[in-house]
Amino acid sequence: MAMIGKSSFLLFFLLSALACTARGQALSPSFYSRTCPSLQFIVSSVMTTAVQRDPRMGASILRLFFHDCFVNGCDGSVLLDDTPWLIGEKNAGGNRNSLRGFEVIDAIKASVEAACNATVSCADILALAARDGVSLLGGPTWLVDLGRRDGRTASRAAADSNLPASSSSLAGLIGLFGIKGLSPRDLTALSGAHTIGRARCVNFRGHIYADRNIDPSFASFRQLSCPAFGRDDNLAPLDTRSQDLFDNGYYRNLVERRGLMHSDQELYNGGSQDSLVQLYSVSTFDFFRDFVAAMGKMGNIGVLTGRRGEIRLNCRRVN
């Protein structure tokens, strides 16, 4: 398993701490140090069991966090079930038959409630679980800002309009991330999350059949399990080199024109991000450093604090 030295991990922690200071006191890694001191141990324990049982779960929880933060901020709204009076995000176009891991968040929440009743938000649990999913698969670890409150509503329409599509162009991705306060460098670093996980045939079919910026042998190989019509739910690894290892293999794939989805290969297609992709393809340290910084920024998008929002007792429904 690819690893980086202890000094590098120390740097990540220091960078995270400095970033927290710069952003102010609304969120803090020590937010629950007195009210729920066992929180991080509980999250880590449940995540360790879940990832050991199913390594893909690390990617699934990380994706849940992305999709939460990109729709009305990191408020746990992606976890809400639909009700007669609330049409939530789970069945939005980019989420339907795709998001998974809700039962893992439920298990963490149940254990946290048993230890610290009505204290920790589902939004914070999701942020911690995403971090642990990455580190359990060989990626970096970092300090997570805490103190988010849970949203009381969700919006399928907002999910449909705010989530990046697998067919997005580089300009479209840069624009969408920019609206969230994320730079093109953040975009390219966060896209490295595709070093783990799987994608459905329906999301990469266009790239392997119609695009020209793809290695022909790779396209032919992927077509074996993703026909031109049908079998939409067939899965393929986003990173064929090491699908359950969080490393820089994703970027090496892009340099070789072996990105799975159109939006992946857009990062290395003669555009503004080519040099950064090349850097990450040869430097795990640079990728990890920038990924940690970008996760910190993303985790602060549109957060609710204080009296704004609530602490849900059940992550699937408002109190």
Side-chain angles (χ1 to χ4, degrees):
M1 179 176 289
M3 299 294 288
I4 59 176
K6 291 182 179 179
S7 61
S8 298
F9 281 117
L10 177 59
L11 175 59
F12 291 136
F13 276 102
L14 291 174
L15 287 172
S16 298
L18 288 172
C20 294
T21 300
R23 284 191 292 267
Q25 299 302 312
L27 300 182
S28 167
S30 61
F31 187 84
Y32 299 109
S33 60
R34 293 186 179 180
T35 56
C36 193
S38 60
L39 170 62
Q40 304 219 24
F41 174 78
I42 293 170
V43 175
S44 177
S45 296
V46 177
M47 281 298 297
T48 297
T49 299
V51 172
Q52 287 177 342
R53 183 181 301 122
D54 175 12
R56 184 183 165 206
M57 192 55 67
S60 297
I61 297 297
L62 180 58
R63 187 163 183 260
L64 269 183
F65 185 53
F66 283 158
H67 283 223
D68 185 39
C69 292
F70 261 71
V71 182
N72 298 327
C74 310
D75 63 352
S77 58
V78 73
L79 304 173
L80 291 171
D81 288 339
D82 285 358
T83 70
W85 55 88
L86 186 151
I87 305 301
E89 300 162 23
K90 289 184 176 180
N91 288 306
N95 293 338
R96 187 185 312 113
N97 300 322
S98 177
L99 289 183
R100 61 197 296 270
F102 297 106
E103 71 285 353
V104 175
I105 301 301
D106 291 340
I108 297 172
K109 179 62 171 175
S111 296
V112 170
E113 284 298 307
C116 321
N117 180 249
T119 300
V120 181
S121 69
C122 298
D124 278 343
I125 286 173
L126 183 54
L128 287 169
R131 185 270 312 274
D132 289 349
V134 168
S135 62
L136 285 165
L137 293 177
T141 189
W142 61 92
L143 296 174
V144 175
D145 285 345
L146 301 170
R148 301 168 186 80
R149 308 284 281 191
D150 294 320
R152 296 188 176 95
T153 188
S155 171
R156 183 180 301 177
D160 283 331
S161 61
N162 282 273
L163 294 174
S166 60
S167 59
S168 296
S169 67
L170 177 59
L173 290 169
I174 289 174
L176 184 58
F177 275 65
I179 291 171
K180 306 300 179 184
L182 299 170
S183 69
R185 192 179 193 94
D186 297 326
L187 156 67
T188 302
L190 289 171
S191 296
H194 285 179
T195 188
I196 52 176
R198 317 290 192 273
R200 297 165 63 218
C201 169
V202 69
N203 288 322
F204 61 86
R205 177 182 285 124
H207 182 50
I208 64 174
Y209 281 97
D211 287 348
R212 295 177 178 271
N213 60 340
I214 185 171
D215 176 77
S217 64
F218 177 69
S220 297
F221 176 67
R222 281 290 155 236
Q223 289 169 10
L224 294 175
S225 59
C226 180
F229 301 97
R231 300 170 72 178
D232 287 357
D233 292 332
N234 280 9
L235 298 175
L238 287 158
D239 177 1
T240 55
R241 294 174 180 273
S242 49
Q243 60 194 33
D244 293 321
L245 175 64
F246 197 97
D247 61 8
N248 66 340
Y250 169 77
Y251 300 102
R252 285 179 279 155
N253 292 334
L254 297 186
V255 170
E256 296 173 1
R257 309 288 182 186
R258 296 168 70 87
L260 183 62
M261 298 188 295
H262 177 86
S263 56
D264 290 320
Q265 197 59 58
E266 278 289 283
L267 297 176
Y268 189 82
N269 192 34
S272 62
Q273 300 306 292
D274 281 14
S275 60
L276 190 56
V277 169
Q278 288 177 325
L279 172 64
Y280 292 161
S281 74
V282 298
S283 175
T284 300
F285 176 84
D286 285 292
F287 165 43
F288 280 13
R289 178 200 60 208
D290 289 355
F291 180 81
V292 167
M295 285 293 288
K297 289 175 66 176
M298 187 183 74
N300 276 264
I301 295 174
V303 297
L304 304 175
T305 58
R307 295 182 179 179
R308 299 170 61 227
E310 65 182 15
I311 301 298
R312 271 183 233 146
L313 301 181
N314 183 324
C315 291
R316 293 175 180 263
R317 59 175 182 264
V318 299
N319 293 340

